[in-house]
Amino acid sequence: AYKRFSELLPKEERENACSARVPKSQILTLPELRANPFQHRICHVFSTSETRDDSMSFEDFLDMLSVFSDSATSDVKSHYAFRIFDFDDDGTLDRKDLEQLVNCLTGQGEESRLSSAEMEQLIQNILEESDIDKDGTINLSEFQHVVSRSPDFARCAGLQR
């Protein structure tokens, strides 16, 4: 992991990789993220950058790799997936988050974008299936409950290599 992290840095900074931060643009070149529709959110969630530039320290990088590893528990994977899908970082998945989630998965192109009616129906179905307390949002425990019933979650969510 240290070797992979240091290789993302310019040659002159590699000696001090432990104290360096890799820019988001370099993190996005990783094969695990290159084609992931949530790549920007992943960088945002794992970055501890005080400047909010989504750069990563070696520790941030290790945290990210550990969640992507096969040995991470489904609880850990679902916790981070929830944070990645919570686009406005408010601790719940509301209609806006769900719409952004669907758009990331289907793509933004004209041919793949859902109509307003299709989007509304899909979000309604998701909420009916997941919103146990019927408050119009999905909280972490509701999300983890749904995930626990889906054995393919980690693979489908892109949280496995």
Side-chain angles (χ1 to χ4, degrees), residues 73-88:
T73 65
S74 65
D75 269 0
V76 168
K77 287 182 185 292
S78 62
H79 170 80
Y80 279 97
F82 181 84
R83 288 187 56 205
I84 290 164
F85 300 160
D86 181 13
F87 289 88
D88 58 10

Side-chain angles (χ1 to χ4, degrees), residues 99 103 110 112-122:
E99 186 171 337
N103 283 334
E110 281 299 316
S112 63
R113 189 179 305 137
L114 298 181
S115 70
S116 296
E118 291 169 326
M119 180 66 80
E120 182 53 38
Q121 184 61 59
L122 181 56

